[in-house]
Amino acid sequence: MRSEVVLEIFRETGALLEGHFILTSGLHSPNYLQCALMLQYPNRAEEFGRAIAGSFLKENIQLVASPAIGGIIIGHEVARALGARFIWVERDHGEMTLRRGFSVGERERVLVVEDVVTTGGSTRETVQILKAAGAQVIAAASIIDRSAGKADVSVPRIALATLDVPAMDPAHCESCKRGELATKPGSRTMGREGLTS
Ligand SMILES: [Zn+2]
């Protein structure tokens, strides 16, 4: 699946916005990405799951594992397409852990799947937990890579599309300099934040 097609589906479903936004970090950006808005359409999730699985058909993947919550829907679809088992890891008192009785087999061949890789931190933590539990982590994958290819997750990694999302301090934001109002998508105070920043 071509990168432009992926991004077009994100735009169509409102999962990728262009404008002037306040990110969770407080930084400003001309792009806003919310994968959950694309994943609310199961047929799209299935399509992306099959596209990711396509790169691993010869790898004999036995298990797909995802960091919660963001990776669960897409990871499940990738596992379905590969005929593999699916589990997730989640934070417990700040630490990523395997809970709910989930376990991995000794030398089990695992693919780690996330919706979006930004710094690669949660994918890297997931890889570490699985390796510590005895699994072989073959690779990692995500729908979007917003690190512009830079994130290192300690195993080979692929993404269906790569985005270089600029994020800047409001003091250096071009849109702010032009007097454009910044919005915080997904927030009830949308349209107000820019006035106070
Ligand atoms: Zn701004």
Side-chain angles (χ1 to χ4, degrees):
M1 184 180 276
R2 280 172 31 245
S3 184
E4 306 87 85
V5 175
V6 173
L7 296 178
E8 192 47 45
I9 293 169
F10 269 71
R11 287 191 193 96
E12 275 171 18
T13 55
L16 175 61
L17 303 177
E18 273 136 20
H20 181 203
F21 305 104
I22 304 167
L23 306 179
T24 314
S25 58
L27 298 176
H28 286 198
S29 176
N31 298 110
Y32 180 78
L33 187 67
Q34 179 45 272
C35 231
L37 293 176
M38 181 281 290
L39 292 169
Q40 66 187 313
Y41 302 100
N43 58 334
R44 292 304 194 190
E46 183 188 21
E47 192 180 358
F48 285 126
R50 263 191 276 111
I52 290 173
S55 296
F56 301 99
L57 295 176
K58 292 177 181 163
E59 297 291 347
N60 187 28
I61 300 296
Q62 297 166 296
L63 171 69
V64 175
S66 297
I69 294 174
I72 292 180
I73 292 175
I74 188 62
H76 190 262
E77 292 297 337
V78 174
R80 186 203 306 275
L82 289 171
R85 192 160 70 87
F86 173 75
I87 62 171
W88 68 85
V89 301
E90 58 199 300
R91 287 199 192 279
D92 186 19
H93 297 96
E95 296 252 329
M96 279 287 200
T97 47
L98 274 176
R99 299 181 67 198
R100 302 170 198 272
F102 285 148
S103 63
V104 298
E106 193 65 30
R107 309 292 294 157
E108 195 168 19
R109 294 175 66 84
V110 185
L111 173 65
V112 172
V113 175
E114 228 186 328
D115 54 349
V116 181
V117 162
T118 303
T119 62
S122 50
T123 290
R124 209 161 44 237
E125 279 182 74
T126 304
V127 169
Q128 280 163 5
I129 289 154
L130 296 166
K131 280 184 175 172
Q136 291 185 76
V137 182
I138 306 304
S142 64
I143 306 170
I144 306 278
D145 170 9
R146 58 185 290 179
S147 79
K150 295 184 210 102
D152 178 5
V153 300
S154 78
V155 293
R157 180 173 72 84
I158 65 138
L160 296 181
T162 298
L163 269 183
D164 190 357
V165 184
M168 54 242 139
D169 193 285
H172 303 112
C173 175
E174 289 303 320
S175 301
C176 281
K177 282 177 192 163
R178 288 195 295 268
E180 293 163 17
L181 192 65
T183 58
K184 202 170 198 172
S187 157
R188 288 182 188 176
T189 54
M190 188 157 171
R192 293 266 155 226
E193 303 294 319
L195 297 172
T196 55
S197 65

